[in-house]
Amino acid sequence: QVQLTESGGGLVQAGGSLRLACAASGSFFSINTMGWYRRVPGKQRELVASISLSSGTNYADSVKGRFTISRDNGRNTVYLQMNSLKPEDTAVYYCNAGAYIKLGSSLLYNYWGQGTQVTVSS
């Protein structure tokens, strides 16, 4: 019903920057909250940042002051600007979105992107 397409991952040196983007496509009525999660092998997936429909945001303590999440509702796209990157930020980053699939339904479904690799070298 909803596909999330991510872009912007790659290899960067410590202290550098990357911008991730995630665009929602498919058959849905509207997109609600969107966010970014990340996972390192051997650890649980953790929330990095999320943004509500009205652009309210929250961040993991480890990225506050360095990462900025934003969205373009007209394009159903969420962005993650990552500055001052550290080797500890190396992970697979996943886009997440809640979507209303049918008009007139109050049931919200949760969707995930395929993940994009971010590698930060020392």
Side-chain angles (χ1 to χ4, degrees):
Q1 296 297 128
V2 178
Q3 295 82 48
L4 301 177
T5 303
E6 299 147 320
S7 62
L11 175 65
V12 66
Q13 194 172 27
S17 298
L18 287 172
R19 191 180 78 154
L20 306 183
C22 172
S25 62
S27 180
F28 57 87
F29 177 66
S30 64
I31 299 292
N32 198 258
T33 299
M34 304 185 79
W36 291 93
Y37 291 71
R38 66 187 181 188
R39 175 171 284 172
V40 177
K43 297 182 64 178
Q44 290 186 310
R45 181 157 51 191
E46 66 172 350
L47 174 68
V48 178
S50 65
I51 184 167
S52 71
L53 188 62
S54 59
S55 297
T57 60
N58 65 283
Y59 297 90
D61 288 341
S62 60
V63 306
K64 286 180 179 177
R66 300 188 297 120
F67 291 8
T68 302
I69 190 170
S70 61
R71 67 188 293 164
D72 184 332
N73 292 335
R75 297 183 177 90
N76 293 311
T77 300
V78 63
Y79 304 92
L80 185 67
Q81 179 67 46
M82 303 185 293
N83 298 326
S84 301
L85 282 162
K86 305 174 180 179
E88 305 94 275
D89 296 316
T90 296
V92 178
Y93 284 70
Y94 297 89
C95 179
N96 174 261
Y100 295 102
I101 303 302
K102 296 181 178 179
L103 177 63
S105 175
S106 61
L107 188 59
L108 188 69
Y109 293 89
N110 198 46
Y111 294 91
W112 294 92
Q114 77 286 347
T116 184
Q117 178 70 47
V118 171
T119 303
V120 184
S121 62
S122 300

